[in-house]
Amino acid sequence: MKDRIRRGLSLILFMTLLFLPMGFFKVNRVLNGSVFSLWKIEYAWILVLFALISTIRLKHRTIAYLRSLFLILLPSILIYVSQSYVIAEPFDVKVARISLGPSIYFACIGAWVLLSTEAKGSLKIFISLCVLITLFGFGYFPMLGFYKEYINRQATFFLELQRHMSLAVTSLLFALVPGIYLGYQSTRHPRLREWIMGFVNGFQVAPTLSMLALLMIPLASLGQSFPFLRTWGVKGVGFLPAFIVLSLYALLPITSNTYTAFKQLDPSVMDSAKALGMSSKHIFRKVSFPLALPFIITGIRIAFIQNIGNTILAGLVGGGGMGSLIFLGLAQSATDLILLGSLPVVLMALGFEVILEFTELRLKKKMGVLYDQA
Amino acid sequence: MKKYLTILSLISLLALSACAPVAEVKNPVTVATMLDSEGSVLGKMIILALNAQEIETVDKINFGTPDILRAALENAEVDLVVDYTGSGQYYHPEDATDTSIWNDPIEGYNFTAQLDREKKDIIWLTPSPANNTESIAVTRSFAAAENIVSMEDLAAYINAGKPFKLIASASFVENPMGLLGYEEAYGFKLTNDQIISLASGNTAEMLKALAEGTNDVNASLVYGTDGALDKLDLVVLEDPKHIPPVYLPAPVIRKAVLDVYPEIETILKPIFESLTLETLQSLNAKVAYDGEDATMVAENYLKDNGFLD
Amino acid sequence: MIKLSQIRKLYDTQEALRNVDLQIEDGECVVLIGPSGCGKSSLLKSINRMIDIDAGTITFFNQDIQSLPVEQLRRKIGYCIQGVGLFPHMNVKENIAILLRILKWKEEDIERRVDELLLMSELPLTYKTKKPHELSGGEAQRVGVCRALATDPPVLLMDEPFGALDPMTREKIQIAFRDIAQKLHKTVVFVTHDIEEAILLGDRIALMNEGQIVQLSTPEALIQDQKENFTKNFIGQDYPLMVLKRFSVRDLKLKPISNLNVTHRIDLDTNLKEALALCIKQTEAVIFKDEQNTYSLVYSDIFSFIRGMQDETAH
């Protein structure tokens, strides 16, 4: 039944190839260009035909292979085909660019949804993305606005990407130990829990941007009073305020999930460990901590994904990262630059989500906490 | 438990300091500019020029919004920025009693430069002659069809009750040296539905709306050196009464840094003096509309004009 | 020997244990039984200091339990609870051997000991690598008992360990447990609310109510000697029949007879309740045999035995 829904959905999405715009031909970076649809491109309708056929469930093995292959390559093919569109008026090849239209986005989603109904669907979707990214990296989509933005500032792109990840990761690491410690202590002292939770929650409520603004003043004065701190980067703007804010934000999921992790420990297990005569150190090391670990990792996962997104704001205070690309794109009204900044963040967030959830699941199985006791 | 914690926190601190970008190495000059195309181009020019003279720089181009940039400069977080002479009205509001100085390029500049030097140890270097001031722009076709060349013509058009919609930033709309000043000087008054007011001062959106006629917009706020003027077939309406303040771009540097590198003044002076209104418009257009890399644009300009070998 | 004197325990203002005295001899199994809230679990847990008492002393082999470091005390006491509490992230072998590892036993010794315990509990050695979630309820509890016995502690504390099992499994495991405990001469303190279980396992039964021991006697003695109304009501009117299950045909000490035709396939280990049921079905004598001899059983044999037991305890 689910299968049929997915195939139906893909059918609808592929139909949009016929009716919705395929792309926008922009003469320069800022102005919205002229719309074009699939029909303007020779023979492109063959693709639609194949796409529609592929929604039918086929049993024959070879045909099924071909179908998978087609679906995997469809996104790349569509984007490649869109590159061949040209307008009648003269234009500067260096400046003009093509932005993708809704029909291509929908068709890609349709292809991926169809792939998810097949065996090893996730692997196939992953391969499809890899093909796309590889072709992109090797310059097979030269007219694509997204590509032009990328190629015109490649060094900056990778620098900001590295800054973004370094900010997200280090702020997470910094919050890790205090977060786990506070979460664990909250289970031992109920009164403390209220204080800690209030404190940590308070940060979540305050908007990130205002936190950044508030931090500027004390950090700046601190940096001026103690010059040696400045060499360590203690300034009102740049890396440090973003780092501090991100760490504080990462605290809540880590603390809260660590608390739950230890609270959910089976009392029978804890009792038997105590009654065996294990010292509290032994119990923590061999029983409580391993059993709590998968749930602590849940908190880390949430904090990390959250951080990857929040780091965008560092771009506003000179902290670098993909945010600076996004805000520059906003300032210049260049949508492809905005995409260049935000798409990698989305992909990173999704990618890490998948990896970390997988780790969590493996750990839960290993710790035997995935199953109900017989 | 406690012992583990101390060791772990020490390790994280060490990791942290290793990851944090090593800031100043023997006092290179931190150059920061605003988050727009002009900031990109001028910033890169400064960096290339200084590097060519063996002055090390730290690139913080497109740092942030104007307020953040100014705060960073005042707090010595950055060393050299590109700012605009008319901004003095915001930096020393208590002393800026005589508003007419802002309409004179030299007086405005001198006022700001003097106060900044005395009160903040901030030095304004030689500005460019390009007046990046706030004006009203219309499409070329509209100007031709309605025979509008100056603000007086526009006032007549509006007062005749013809369809008009202006898109501008909130600060311009509410500024007595902005829209209010124009209205008073040229004798017209816009109603609320004739204005679309945006929170940010960024003109890229506004000019895009003007060029495409979105929401019946037929006039927009524009800055003097905006690249769009080159590309989008727009004209700036003449303003014989010089209402808005004069905004000349200039390098602004902390006194402490200038004392270490006094040659910065002489390096940047000819470059900035060469940047006319039309030059800046075309450079900005290359970055904003053609999507060229700001570094290439800056480098080509410097080389073509003999500032760089 | 465990001696509890004047034990008092308060939860807020509620008295859970009121000046309780109890002495448990080496090798005997004392069952604490009573309605919910009578304090039987609290009394049990005070022995290995899982609960701290407010007044009174407990001596463990003549040592005050407060004088020992608590971990040392607990390593001498095995503890089994209803939820078993096996460590879900460790397999059966690691669960059983956890304390041995901490005590730094050699690997071969650990291996040997685990095998020994598994065999004794009639669990296949292949179970060593299984994880707790792969075990049935009964198997898990058996592993729990193995774990408790790993360091060969002289005392076992059992807190309703078989309560969550289905009746068939429960019966099997009860018998198996009794045999193991007797074979190893363990001192057992057992908490239950099931009177039949108490009869089966207990050398003495301590009936508790509202924080006090109402009566302490052998299961047989309770047939006649019921001190309070409470006792009567708690053990029920068919108590004497239940006691029959405690004994087997072997205890009747029947004399072998010459070969007659066997009427039923029972043996010397059949419990007396079943045997009596058979006698009721069978109008004549029940003839059965074991490997060597043939026996004849009639219901009067059973009655005289029980009478004999009661007379004994009355003195």
Side-chain angles (χ1 to χ4, degrees), chain C residues 205-253:
Chain C
I205 298 180
L207 180 57
M208 291 183 69
N209 189 28
E210 288 181 357
Q212 287 182 307
I213 296 184
V214 168
Q215 185 157 351
L216 176 65
S217 2
T218 61
E220 311 84 77
L222 269 178
I223 297 177
Q224 295 290 33
D225 180 22
Q226 292 161 11
K227 292 211 171 69
E228 313 258 333
N229 271 331
F230 170 76
T231 314
K232 275 201 211 76
N233 291 330
F234 189 83
I235 61 178
Q237 297 288 45
D238 53 348
Y239 178 79
L241 288 175
M242 292 194 252
V243 177
L244 284 177
K245 276 184 92 167
R246 183 175 163 75
F247 303 102
S248 64
V249 176
R250 197 186 295 271
D251 299 316
L252 295 177
K253 299 209 174 41

Side-chain angles (χ1 to χ4, degrees), chain B residues 45 225 274-285 301 305:
Chain B
M45 269 195 216
T225 58
S274 73
L275 293 169
T276 63
L277 189 70
E278 292 76 23
T279 311
L280 273 180
Q281 281 175 2
S282 94
L283 291 176
N284 287 335
Y301 178 78
N305 290 283

